[in-house]
Amino acid sequence: LQWPEGDLVVNADPREALDSHPMVTDGRIEVEVLKPDGQPWPGWSGPDRAIFHRNTHNRGRILDGRVLWPDNRSLAGLKGESFALKFTLVHARLYTLQAATPPP
């Protein structure tokens, strides 16, 4: 994909059991950026991958689903670049993803 602009925002539930408390996030979603040839993008993959572990729905509220890499970096820094995203889900569900600019 060619990243348009903004942050990667997900709608996700990183709980092993859906009937557990919404704040018990015992799972995670790992996100890596891969070059168009499928190789890891240095600084965005492997030990530098993003790890998301927040439930974005909690008691009727929608919580922040921005995915951040180490040092609070976001995909906004890769605007216009072509790459693939690799998602690894561990006891988690990923419902949607989007590129979104932060609210004013």
Side-chain angles (χ1 to χ4, degrees):
L1 56 93
Q2 185 173 20
W3 195 249
E5 67 178 336
D7 299 332
L8 172 62
V9 177
V10 297
N11 175 4
D13 186 347
R15 294 180 294 163
E16 182 172 2
L18 288 175
D19 60 352
S20 65
H21 189 280
M23 295 303 290
V24 175
T25 54
D26 47 0
R28 67 185 181 279
I29 298 173
E30 300 173 1
V31 187
E32 298 184 74
V33 177
L34 305 178
K35 295 178 184 179
D37 65 2
Q39 295 300 310
W41 191 305
W44 296 90
S45 297
D48 296 318
R49 70 193 178 280
I51 301 176
F52 186 86
H53 52 80
R54 293 185 308 278
N55 186 357
T56 57
H57 291 268
N58 184 348
R59 299 180 180 177
R61 296 180 304 156
I62 305 296
L63 303 179
D64 183 16
R66 285 183 313 132
V67 178
L68 297 174
W69 275 255
D71 299 324
N72 288 325
R73 292 177 295 130
S74 80
L75 289 185
L78 296 180
K79 178 182 177 180
E81 296 284 352
S82 294
F83 54 82
L85 293 174
K86 176 183 174 184
F87 294 88
T88 303
L89 283 64
V90 179
H91 301 302
R93 289 150 200 84
L94 175 63
Y95 299 113
T96 63
L97 60 102
Q98 66 178 347
T101 54

